[in-house]
Amino acid sequence: MSEFEPKIIAFVCNWCTYAGADLTGTSRIKYSSNVRIIRLPCTGRIDFMLILQAFGQGADGIIVSGCHPGDCHYTAGNYHARRRWMLFRRLMDFVGVDLRRVHFSWVSAAEGAKWAELVNQVVDEVRTLGPYKAFPQRFHENGFPVQLTVAN
Amino acid sequence: MEQLQQMARELLERQQVQVIIGYEAGSEANRRRAVFVRRAEDVSRLIFDDACRQNLATYLLKPEVLVLGKIGMVVRRNTLRSLMQYAVENQLADERVIAIGIGEEGGPRLLPNFAAVEEYLAQLPRGPSAAEKAELKKMEQLVMEQRWAFWREEFDRCIKCYACRAACPLCYCNRCITEVNQPQWIPVASDALGNLEWNVIRAMHLAGRCIGCGSCADACPQGIRIDLLNGLLAREAQQQFAAEPGYGQRKDYALAVFKPDDKEEFIR
């Protein structure tokens, strides 16, 4: 495998984007298999640390996605998350983290096609950027870096 | 200085407070350290000048300090803002502390409760200094790789001593996120990723709360510019959410509230 295949981690909320991604599958829409989906209860639960930890374990790009404003299963989780992202994005940018690798999105349970399009776009963008080598990697106690693998 | 000592003596003699927390001469000519004065005859140890930079509010929430009784405290503007933030976060009862306000604005003057502190702060200039603003601007003019290189170099020096946390008046959690070890959220070892995570997470946990006293950067034995991270987030919270921590008893914490029309041009 000579061509670079980016590893994308997606943190999604249980109620909208996860269901949306499910719909993509049941609708038989084909999309890039580089994405690894991690389901969380709500975007409000997506701690900003998860983003750093994913990069630290070899992710090349990250998608964070949840319910559209007004649709949150817990009424306001996505509004709180949005405020946090607004500040966290500025901080990451200030520290010099590559913001072209971090994508935020709202994908509802009905937007299976939007999910496929989003993933494909992010994968394409990150593929042109190449592997995120600049980011420090997390090491196991045995001294080897923690590595993610992309299944073919 | 005589005025300050006189004020402290009266407070102690009249039993209005049981202890005065202030500054005394340190181990070197240009250094100052905190002093707890509990007897009226010791007030001559109290001094005040520009070198008194430590934010003494840090001591206020410690149980071993609270048992001493009612507290008098020599406070600068930043310490007063810390007191107001404690009030907002329900960490300190009103009239628990008699503040002795002093600094560039003159003084000393007695501020016996939160209302008096709020009124006093309302008269003082607000916002970061021109130098602080210029420093942030300068950083932002660098390209991404330069910023990344700068911070990698800064964070590489971090030895995870947590002096920033100890010096910070608003880092008062009984159980800090860094001590959470099931799972280990931030690695204990001082490696590149762990140092980045620690400094970023501390800045984020202070976003919209930090009152910008700069005690963290002063305390850092490695001279890491933590104050720049906090300064950036303070500016952003101010611009985006109109957050002004430490200026009023009834201010909301910017990240605990929201507006349905918060800007989201970065969300697809």
Side-chain angles (χ1 to χ4, degrees):
Chain A
M1 199 172 72
S2 56
E3 206 195 327
F4 164 65
E5 283 299 325
K7 296 161 194 163
I8 310 289
I9 300 294
F11 296 104
V12 305
C13 92
N14 179 37
W15 303 99
C16 293
T17 306
Y18 193 81
D22 201 25
L23 180 68
T24 320
T26 49
S27 313
R28 306 277 180 220
I29 299 173
K30 222 170 152 55
Y31 67 102
S32 190
S33 63
N34 301 50
V35 70
R36 295 288 169 276
I37 296 176
I38 297 176
R39 177 171 66 156
L40 292 145
C42 177
T43 37
R45 165 66 182 85
I46 302 174
D47 194 301
F48 49 86
M49 274 286 284
L50 292 173
I51 295 177
L52 298 182
Q53 302 227 344
F55 277 138
Q57 294 183 31
D60 302 305
I62 287 167
I63 298 172
V64 180
S65 182
C67 307
H68 284 269
D71 287 355
C72 181
H73 185 76
Y74 309 100
T75 313
N78 53 358
Y79 287 123
H80 288 292
R82 182 169 65 184
R83 278 217 161 184
R84 220 177 307 140
W85 300 341
M86 287 163 79
L87 291 185
F88 187 58
R89 266 185 101 250
R90 295 293 301 121
L91 182 64
M92 281 195 298
D93 190 34
F94 189 69
V95 174
V97 174
D98 194 346
L99 278 190
R100 294 168 298 179
R101 297 173 185 274
V102 190
H103 297 266
F104 298 91
S105 175
W106 306 130
V107 173
S108 83
E111 294 176 323
K114 182 180 176 183
W115 173 252
E117 197 188 328
L118 171 75
V119 171
N120 286 336
Q121 276 176 8
V122 171
V123 170
D124 285 347
E125 278 177 48
V126 175
R127 188 178 280 124
T128 38
L129 290 173
Y132 199 7
K133 286 200 180 125
F135 204 88
Q137 297 296 295
R138 163 124 315 140
F139 287 88
H140 272 311
E141 282 170 14
N142 62 15
F144 290 103
V146 177
Q147 278 297 340
L148 299 168
T149 50
V150 173
N152 288 313
Chain B
M1 207 127 78
E2 283 94 59
Q3 255 183 309
L4 171 68
Q5 291 174 356
Q6 183 59 31
M7 214 173 247
R9 179 178 293 114
E10 280 169 18
L11 283 174
L12 284 169
E13 276 171 353
R14 290 180 195 153
Q15 305 251 312
Q16 283 174 299
V17 300
Q18 276 70 53
V19 59
I20 300 270
I21 307 178
Y23 303 93
E24 69 171 347
S27 49
E28 289 168 44
N30 57 351
R31 292 176 83 92
R32 306 288 176 263
R33 66 183 168 214
V35 60
F36 286 55
V37 178
R38 299 175 71 181
R39 291 175 309 188
E41 58 264 37
D42 290 338
V43 293
S44 56
R45 291 169 70 179
L46 289 173
I47 58 171
F48 187 83
D49 57 27
D50 286 343
C52 302
R53 289 169 57 84
Q54 187 191 350
N55 191 336
L56 297 177
T58 314
Y59 293 111
L60 280 178
L61 304 186
K62 300 197 185 303
E64 63 270 33
V65 175
L66 289 171
V67 294
L68 294 177
K70 191 156 173 172
I71 298 163
M73 181 171 271
V74 180
V75 292
R76 312 185 61 139
R77 177 166 53 140
N78 285 331
T79 316
L80 285 172
R81 287 184 64 191
S82 309
L83 293 185
M84 291 314 293
Q85 194 58 21
Y86 284 160
V88 170
E89 296 178 11
N90 293 319
Q91 295 300 314
L92 192 68
D94 200 4
E95 298 181 11
R96 188 70 184 74
V97 175
I98 294 184
I100 306 171
I102 192 166
E104 310 91 76
E105 310 81 37
R109 54 185 288 177
L110 284 180
L111 304 163
N113 53 37
F114 289 148
V117 174
E118 196 170 344
E119 198 181 309
Y120 177 64
L121 280 170
Q123 303 158 10
L124 304 183
R126 292 191 182 199
S129 69
E132 284 166 328
K133 281 185 198 164
E135 239 178 345
L136 279 183
K137 268 272 164 328
K138 210 176 113 199
M139 274 297 294
E140 286 178 315
Q141 276 157 5
L142 301 176
V143 297
M144 185 184 81
E145 286 79 10
Q146 288 173 314
R147 272 177 278 146
W148 182 242
F150 173 82
W151 286 109
R152 279 298 298 274
E153 205 275 316
E154 290 289 291
F155 295 153
D156 269 357
R157 299 203 305 277
C158 178
I159 53 170
K160 289 268 183 77
C161 65
Y162 305 128
C164 42
R165 182 181 68 175
C168 177
L170 291 170
C171 268
Y172 56 69
C173 294
N174 285 330
R175 189 157 183 250
C176 175
I177 188 84
T178 193
E179 264 108 41
V180 172
N181 56 4
Q182 286 183 336
Q184 186 77 50
W185 197 223
I186 303 174
V188 195
S190 133
D191 65 356
L193 179 58
N195 288 353
L196 171 78
E197 285 174 334
W198 161 245
N199 285 286
V200 164
I201 206 166
R202 208 186 85 86
M204 275 303 287
H205 285 183
L206 288 168
R209 302 169 63 224
C210 174
I211 51 94
C213 64
S215 286
C216 45
D218 279 346
C220 181
Q222 301 289 78
I224 300 170
R225 293 302 308 276
I226 319 163
D227 54 325
L228 285 178
L229 299 179
N230 291 329
L232 173 93
L233 285 177
R235 189 193 70 189
E236 290 299 319
Q238 204 277 324
Q239 284 176 357
Q240 303 195 41
F241 313 129
E244 276 198 317
Y247 278 115
Q249 295 175 66
R250 302 274 170 270
K251 295 265 180 177
D252 286 323
Y253 167 40
L255 288 182
V257 293
F258 63 85
K259 285 195 177 131
D261 57 350
D262 279 332
K263 268 197 248 135
E264 56 164 52
E265 72 286 345
F266 65 92
I267 301 177
R268 295 194 190 189

